[in-house]
Amino acid sequence: MCKVKNICERPAPVNKDVSPTVPPWPGPVTNSLHKGSSNDGSPQKGYSCVSTATRDLWDRLFDEGYKADVSVNTDDGGIIYAHANILGMASPVIKAQLKQSHRFRRQRSISIRGVPVDAVRVFIRFLYSSCYEMKEMEAFVVHLLVLAHVYVVPHLKQECEKKLEHGLLTIDNVVDIFQLALLCDAPRLSLICHRMILKNFKTVCTTRGWKTMKKSHPTLEKELVESMIEEDTRQKERIKKINERKIYMLLYEAMEALVHIYEDGCRTIGPSDKDFKENQAPCKYVACKGLELLVRHFAGCKLRVPGGCIHCRRMWQLLELHSRLCSGSHNCRVPLCRNFKERIKKQSKKDEIRWKMLVKKILTTKRIAGAPFVSSSFVSTLWQ
């Protein structure tokens, strides 16, 4: 464990020039703790952005407190000794505090309170060597994020955000981290927390963090609920559009299969001049089998008038849709194609607009501007 000196345990002052109220500067191993080791006995480091030799050198300087000239006061009377030059260069806030402290007392000191003493030690150590151990990060990531923001240590702040994003952020702490991200000006982290809350809204609402936020920050709770309602609405709209695209794709495939049946023939159905072979290759059109049954029904149904039979009515609609997509009605072999084109001229404006919108959506979904039965000039007229 870290040997953080306590005021109650300090030895009597030995220097007459030093005030009795100020503890003496420590000897070696003042800030050290038992670090985790690998199988070969070497210390395990969670993160380092410098070479191993440099890292170990700065770690030794911090652990041994060699010629430390500033004391960091923490909660419960804890004291961590450090070097003013290093702290001042690593944090502009601490630098300003040290200047102010030097004006009023001979021995400089600063106070970091409101967080555990071990979190302060990990923070000060990071200012020396930009290192930490993973178990320390897991234990004090929230405190380190706050300290990094308050004392303007951007590389530590980024590292805390990264660790939260990639594993330390959970359902139980997401509400607390979300509020902290808003206070600490961490937009990416707040966005990630917001998405996690919306994705797991029902579960998050049962956590202690949500209940606490509901009491302390009701406005934020209201905004999250409204965001959830908006997200749910957008999700329903996305599902609706996906289902519509599926329908338009099925209609397009039906148009392809219809042309295929009446022009080329398929298995046991096709034009009268078509010779059917016993061993034909499987049809590549998925909608062909269902459409084949519909065509056979349409040919033999006694209630073939529109509205008389639901199956025949569907066939009438497919034939009319084909006629609106077909660009060559004079040589088209699909039945009633030319008749429907003549009928279109007599339709009401309301029906014409409805059919035109349907055709446009089908073409947009499939992007079939160069399809065999649709001319590019016809497609261009739909957008005029």
Side-chain angles (χ1 to χ4, degrees):
M1 295 297 295
C2 173
K3 291 181 63 179
V4 179
K5 289 189 70 67
N6 191 292
I7 292 179
C8 300
E9 300 175 355
R10 68 175 184 270
V14 296
N15 192 333
K16 295 181 180 181
D17 297 332
V18 177
S19 172
T21 59
V22 180
W25 299 116
V29 201
T30 302
N31 297 322
S32 65
L33 83 162
H34 299 292
K35 302 180 177 64
S37 300
S38 59
N39 295 331
D40 60 356
S42 59
Q44 293 180 340
K45 302 297 181 182
Y47 164 80
S48 177
C49 61
V50 295
S51 66
T52 303
T54 304
R55 179 199 65 198
D56 293 342
L57 177 64
W58 290 109
D59 271 348
R60 282 184 55 201
L61 183 63
F62 171 68
D63 291 340
E64 297 178 7
Y66 177 71
K67 289 190 176 182
D69 57 353
V70 62
S71 60
V72 181
N73 303 313
T74 66
D75 288 343
D76 300 325
I79 297 179
I80 300 174
Y81 295 98
H83 301 80
N85 289 339
I86 295 176
L87 300 188
M89 291 302 295
S91 168
V93 177
I94 295 180
K95 184 176 182 180
Q97 290 180 341
L98 291 172
K99 287 183 179 180
Q100 187 176 7
S101 175
H102 188 58
R103 296 176 183 176
F104 302 102
R105 61 186 71 180
R106 184 171 180 179
Q107 292 183 345
R108 287 179 287 186
S109 67
I110 59 173
S111 296
I112 300 179
R113 304 189 185 279
V115 294
V117 60
D118 288 338
V120 178
R121 182 197 56 77
V122 176
F123 172 68
I124 298 297
R125 178 192 173 198
F126 189 90
L127 299 184
Y128 275 74
S129 60
S130 297
C131 297
Y132 62 78
E133 296 179 20
M134 279 305 303
K135 61 180 181 180
E136 296 173 339
M137 176 60 74
E138 293 174 0
F140 304 117
V141 61
V142 174
H143 305 96
L144 292 175
L145 178 61
V146 173
L147 291 172
H149 175 71
V150 171
Y151 291 98
V152 192
V153 186
H155 51 299
L156 176 57
K157 185 176 179 180
Q158 293 172 3
E159 192 63 24
C160 292
E161 293 179 21
K162 187 188 302 182
K163 293 303 178 184
L164 284 167
E165 180 180 349
H166 294 94
L168 298 184
L169 187 65
T170 64
I171 298 295
D172 293 328
N173 67 11
V174 64
V175 175
D176 296 329
I177 300 300
F178 177 62
Q179 297 177 81
L180 187 62
L182 295 176
L183 294 173
C184 293
D185 190 24
R188 176 178 173 82
L189 181 59
S190 63
L191 178 61
I192 293 172
C193 292
H194 187 263
R195 289 177 177 174
M196 179 179 284
I197 291 172
L198 297 184
K199 186 177 180 180
N200 308 275
F201 190 75
K202 292 184 179 180
T203 307
V204 171
C205 287
T206 62
T207 61
R208 185 173 60 180
W210 180 273
K211 296 176 182 178
T212 304
M213 179 194 66
K214 189 175 182 179
K215 295 179 181 179
S216 58
H217 299 91
T219 303
L220 183 58
E221 186 258 352
K222 182 180 178 181
E223 291 178 356
L224 287 173
V225 172
E226 291 175 352
S227 297
M228 182 59 203
I229 295 174
E230 293 176 0
E231 178 64 22
D232 187 57
T233 303
R234 286 194 294 267
Q235 182 67 16
K236 290 180 179 178
E237 288 294 329
R238 284 194 292 267
I239 294 175
K240 181 180 178 181
K241 290 182 179 179
I242 290 173
N243 292 334
E244 287 179 352
R245 283 196 292 268
K246 289 180 179 179
I247 293 173
Y248 299 144
M249 186 65 68
L250 290 174
L251 288 174
Y252 168 77
E253 292 174 355
M255 294 299 99
E256 278 190 323
L258 190 66
V259 174
H260 163 65
I261 288 175
Y262 283 104
E263 288 191 357
D264 305 324
C266 181
R267 290 179 292 196
T268 61
I269 190 171
S272 57
D273 56 349
K274 174 72 175 180
D275 293 330
F276 297 100
K277 300 179 181 179
E278 295 183 359
N279 299 323
Q280 297 190 55
C283 183
K284 65 177 182 178
Y285 296 97
V286 179
C288 196
K289 184 176 182 179
L291 194 59
E292 180 180 339
L293 297 175
L294 189 62
V295 170
R296 289 186 181 278
H297 170 84
F298 184 74
C301 183
K302 298 179 180 180
L303 302 175
R304 199 166 50 180
V305 294
C309 172
I310 184 173
H311 301 294
C312 292
R313 184 166 66 248
R314 188 175 302 160
M315 189 64 190
W316 282 108
Q317 291 171 343
L318 291 176
L319 291 173
E320 183 170 356
L321 178 60
H322 164 79
S323 68
R324 291 176 177 274
L325 287 167
C326 183
S327 59
S329 59
H330 295 287
N331 55 359
C332 180
R333 304 189 69 174
V334 177
L336 306 176
C337 181
R338 186 173 181 180
N339 294 18
F340 272 111
K341 285 188 177 295
E342 294 295 330
R343 180 186 171 189
I344 290 172
K345 299 176 183 179
K346 302 177 183 180
Q347 280 185 337
S348 65
K349 188 175 182 181
K350 183 178 180 180
D351 291 339
E352 177 65 20
I353 293 174
R354 188 177 73 252
W355 277 101
K356 196 170 184 179
M357 288 180 61
L358 176 61
V359 171
K360 184 189 295 187
K361 289 178 179 179
I362 292 174
L363 296 178
T364 303
T365 301
K366 187 60 180 178
R367 302 181 184 276
I368 56 171
F373 57 92
V374 182
S375 66
S376 58
S377 58
F378 168 70
V379 174
S380 62
T381 59
L382 295 174
W383 275 263
Q384 291 179 356

